[in-house]
Amino acid sequence: MLKMLKKARKTVYLFLALILMSAPLSGCGSNVETDTLEKVDSTKTQLWVNNYRGGFGDEWLQNLKIRFEDAYADYQGLDGKVGVQVMITPVKNKGKDIVSTISGSDDEVFFSESMPYYTLTGLGSALDITDVVNEIGSDGKTIKSKMYADNESYLNINGRYYGLPHYEMTGGISYNINIFEEKLFYFAKNADNGNDGFILSLYDERSAGPNGIEGDYDDGLPSTYDEFFKLCDRMLTFGVTPFIWSGQFGRGYVNYLLSTAVATYEGVEQYNLRFSFDGTVQAKYIVDSISTNGDVTLKDPVALTAENGYQIFGSAGSYYALSLLERILSNSSYYDSRSLDSVESHTDAQIDFLLSNYEGNGKPIAMLIEGGYWENEARDIGAYDRLKNYYGVDEKDVKIGYLPVPKASSDKVGENTVLVDGGYCLCFINSRIADYKIPLAKAFLKFAYTDESLNAYTAQTNTFIGVNYDLTDSTISKMSNFGRSMNQVRADSDLVHNVSGDRLFVYQQSYLQTYLETDKYSYPYEALKDDGMKAKEYFNLIKQRYSATAWQNKFGRIL
């Protein structure tokens, strides 16, 4: 059986490699930000590091560069060279564009997102770094011991590793705590307090929130969808707009919220059935029918195998997440009109959200739908500088929090939030690297994944690398209010990465990961907002995409 699985994986790698090599090289341009390149110091050994400079920026990498160069100041290179110079190549291309051009690239270490790992390895473009993964680092730990189980399974190819998890791309709803406190937008512990269940003062006891535990970070926040929309309606009565998102890119950002809602409803074990089909766990949330008023009837639990795995894509978590989006979009007063403007970029929405609570910027906006990295991006474009320069407001006084997704129903209150990392971000070494530089590149990776370096990354970006590590008190003290809020929610949540080492997943990774798509729509938002579709209608389209016939067409050759 093991030999069969190994053979199946090898077949998949070759298949993916052939597809890529036959595809047009649409991203052949390097997209290098040349004005940021450093001059070469000919007395040192250079290590060329390619970094996708998106929402996470590269200040964290500049910091890592300085620390690594200092630690390796006495490194003995060829021709009498002493010391190391980490040369950062900031780029705007990623994923398949990198894979299609890497054969001509001189960059040696890559940090990027949306990386097709099995295509990369199928082409032989990533160096075997199994020793890096398994060796004990300077912090007394192996990188493997820090990996989450699903990522480890995904990156493990017959016991060998060719990449490491890079930064996490979770997201959802961010909320302006200043507005929530000013308007008392928190639920009271005593629902019969004469104020429609909302607190009368900041000193009132608050409800236990979605995690069902009193006295912690989410007290007073909406615990169910019904409470959430009760809160939205209350915001309107106070002249506050509940939401804004990017009209230009919001379709993708809304999916952060939807995937988190799906996973939070189902829990880790049930959610991950979309990516692994070994028949060991029964699926218990598969929808049998949905009534006209939205009541869901479930089928009897069933074990999912490679043959019948398509059934999981008719799971109730997807329907309830779609119903959440439908309710948000059903009332145009719930969102700022710029959310529908195709020129409203992600950074525009970030700035509008941050500045909305100050005079001259229209109605206050309470919540932003975005990736969890947005604040780092907003800081990079000077949004907080505007607050300081225009309104005399220091960044430390702007309190933004991460709002845990409410539960679809009251019986789910108290169950863990499940955050979904859907960025497929990867760190790897180019297999074309010169042999004499391999030890140096591996040393750099080991250095980057020590607890010290991971903490330095989080302190700088207020985000997280996709491995398991504890933050020090010093790191937490340096984080923004939003970063600390994200850390609280993350520590109290489960985390999934939309990956596995299952042979079906390896063969049709994109098909399984895009479980909210249909044959017509790439994003539910397009159907529900642009075409006025209802959640139930869209859910049925998903089931058509993952019908028994479609499943057989996708996987028939390896079943």
Side-chain angles (χ1 to χ4, degrees), residues 236-293:
L236 297 181
T237 66
F238 278 79
V240 173
T241 299
F243 283 110
I244 192 170
W245 56 81
S246 167
Q248 188 173 8
F249 303 113
R251 289 158 173 76
Y253 295 140
V254 166
N255 268 20
Y256 283 129
L257 171 60
L258 296 183
S259 58
T260 299
V262 174
T264 295
Y265 178 82
E266 295 180 2
V268 170
E269 186 177 66
Q270 292 291 308
Y271 178 81
N272 278 336
L273 292 178
R274 290 167 173 78
F275 316 117
S276 185
F277 307 92
D278 60 11
T280 59
V281 178
Q282 288 195 323
K284 63 181 183 179
Y285 290 124
I286 296 176
V287 174
D288 183 48
S289 63
I290 303 172
S291 70
T292 54
N293 64 357

Side-chain angles (χ1 to χ4, degrees), residues 5 44 67 101 194 255 284 288 296 319 330 373 386 436:
L5 289 175
K44 299 179 180 180
R67 293 174 51 248
T101 58
N255 268 20
K284 63 181 183 179
D288 183 48
V296 173
Y319 169 70
S330 66
Y373 50 82
R386 294 194 190 189
Y436 78 93

Side-chain angles (χ1 to χ4, degrees), residues 21 72 130 148 230 234 239 289 306 331 333 338 382 434 448 495 499 501 556:
M21 286 188 290
Y72 281 75
T130 305
Y148 292 98
K230 181 178 180 179
R234 188 169 183 84
S289 63
N331 186 341
S333 297
R338 288 169 290 189
L495 188 65
V499 295

Side-chain angles (χ1 to χ4, degrees), residues 278-506:
D278 60 11
T280 59
V281 178
Q282 288 195 323
K284 63 181 183 179
Y285 290 124
I286 296 176
V287 174
D288 183 48
S289 63
I290 303 172
S291 70
T292 54
N293 64 357
D295 291 335
V296 173
T297 301
L298 300 176
K299 293 182 178 180
D300 291 334
V302 59
L304 297 181
T305 64
E307 286 70 27
N308 69 347
Y310 60 89
Q311 294 185 55
I312 189 61
F313 299 95
S315 192
S318 293
Y319 169 70
Y320 284 121
L322 293 167
S323 71
L324 174 64
L325 178 59
E326 180 185 335
R327 291 178 71 175
I328 291 173
L329 297 175
S330 66
N331 186 341
S332 60
S333 297
Y334 283 163
Y335 49 88
D336 188 284
S337 61
R338 288 169 290 189
S339 301
L340 305 184
D341 191 335
S342 61
V343 300
E344 177 80 355
S345 71
H346 54 304
T347 52
D348 289 336
Q350 294 161 11
I351 292 172
D352 292 337
F353 171 63
L354 287 171
L355 269 59
S356 70
N357 201 31
Y358 302 97
E359 187 176 353
N361 290 297
K363 291 183 178 180
I365 303 169
M367 296 177 284
L368 170 71
I369 298 179
E370 246 277 18
Y373 50 82
W374 73 267
E375 188 191 44
N376 187 65
E377 197 168 44
R379 187 177 296 108
D380 193 41
I381 62 170
Y384 285 99
D385 292 336
R386 294 194 190 189
L387 283 175
K388 178 67 174 178
N389 296 334
Y390 296 167
Y391 304 103
V393 177
D394 290 325
E395 180 178 342
K396 62 181 176 60
D397 295 322
V398 181
K399 295 189 290 185
I400 308 295
Y402 179 83
L403 191 135
V405 64
K407 315 300 182 182
S409 54
S410 58
D411 61 303
K412 291 287 184 178
V413 174
E415 295 183 5
N416 276 9
T417 295
V418 181
L419 298 177
V420 178
D421 173 14
Y424 320 115
C425 303
L426 193 70
C427 168
F428 65 95
I429 298 174
N430 189 346
S431 61
R432 295 181 67 251
I433 188 173
D435 288 345
Y436 78 93
K437 278 196 184 180
I438 290 176
L440 180 63
K442 288 183 174 181
F444 182 72
L445 261 59
K446 289 177 67 176
F447 189 87
Y449 283 79
T450 61
D451 283 359
E452 180 182 0
S453 292
L454 295 169
N455 268 267
Y457 168 88
T458 295
Q460 179 69 54
T461 67
N462 293 287
T463 64
F464 305 87
I465 297 293
V467 293
N468 194 8
Y469 56 103
D470 294 326
L471 299 186
T472 65
D473 290 341
S474 175
T475 295
I476 294 173
S477 70
K478 296 172 184 175
M479 296 172 73
S480 68
N481 194 90
F482 180 68
R484 289 192 294 273
S485 175
M486 278 293 300
N487 182 51
Q488 287 177 315
V489 176
R490 185 176 182 270
D492 194 35
S493 302
D494 297 316
L495 188 65
V496 295
H497 302 87
N498 287 1
V499 295
S500 81
D502 185 273
R503 67 190 182 98
L504 295 193
F505 180 83
V506 173

